[in-house]
Amino acid sequence: MDSCFRQDKIIWQEMAKEGQFYIDRDKFYSLDTTRILTGNNLSYLLGILNSKFFLFAFKNYYAGGHLGAKGVRFKSEFMKNFPIPPITDANQPIVAEIENKVDEILDAKHTDPGADTSSLEDEIDKLVYELYNLTEDEIAIVEGNE
């Protein structure tokens, strides 16, 4: 168990108002109300997990119910069921762009925690929509513009 904390990992609160997933590269230990994910391609995963599409789809189809109007439970068992597109030769350019933009955000936030990265976040959302082959109508639903 200790070895999980000694590697790069994504950390999140199980019960939250919205998705706030972070990459920990400093080998911190976390409390029992947080969850962790280790493995490869963490920047790619972080881009998906913090996207508008993930929050919309997870809350509506994978979370096992909302926490009222104010939250969602990002339970590990529910998270395992969410489909993450495997990295293939065909989608590698999109994956690389997501990873690059996530790393830009992480660098900006490391330098200035209050940095406005919303334009990069919007670009990642568009890449995630492309990755999941969403139509314009589906994107409008996710964005609340239906």
Side-chain angles (χ1 to χ4, degrees), residues 8 18 30 34 37-38 51 77-78 85 96 113 121-122 131 139:
D8 291 354
E18 59 186 37
S30 60
T34 59
L37 172 69
T38 61
S51 71
E77 284 304 309
F78 301 153
E121 294 165 27
D122 290 343
L131 187 66
I139 293 169

Side-chain angles (χ1 to χ4, degrees), residues 1-134:
M1 178 69 153
D2 186 49
S3 65
C4 292
F5 291 104
R6 295 176 188 240
Q7 57 188 304
D8 291 354
K9 59 195 163 291
I10 294 176
I11 299 175
W12 71 93
Q13 281 293 129
E14 182 175 312
M15 290 187 257
K17 185 174 184 176
E18 59 186 37
Q20 294 180 340
F21 297 84
Y22 304 96
I23 288 183
D24 169 29
R25 293 190 170 127
D26 295 318
K27 318 302 186 261
F28 285 113
Y29 285 76
S30 60
L31 299 174
D32 62 348
T33 59
T34 59
R35 299 294 176 253
I36 64 171
L37 172 69
T38 61
N40 300 319
N41 307 102
L42 294 180
S43 291
Y44 167 62
L45 292 172
L46 190 69
I48 291 173
L49 295 174
N50 280 324
S51 71
K52 289 177 186 170
F53 172 69
F54 175 79
L55 182 60
F56 174 85
F58 190 80
K59 279 176 86 170
N60 288 292
Y61 303 107
Y62 294 90
H66 299 273
L67 295 175
K70 297 186 179 190
V72 63
R73 187 169 184 194
F74 293 101
K75 189 173 180 181
S76 298
E77 284 304 309
F78 301 153
M79 297 277 290
K80 290 176 186 176
N81 294 324
F82 193 87
I84 302 291
I87 300 171
T88 64
D89 289 340
N91 70 14
Q92 178 57 43
I94 297 170
V95 170
E97 269 193 83
I98 290 171
E99 291 176 328
N100 289 337
K101 291 183 187 317
V102 165
D103 290 339
E104 282 184 60
I105 291 170
L106 294 173
D107 290 344
K109 295 289 186 178
H110 181 73
T111 303
D112 175 10
D116 180 9
T117 57
S118 57
S119 64
L120 287 168
E121 294 165 27
D122 290 343
E123 290 176 37
I124 292 170
D125 283 329
K126 290 176 185 167
L127 292 166
V128 171
Y129 298 151
E130 185 178 347
L131 187 66
Y132 281 89
N133 297 311
L134 297 186

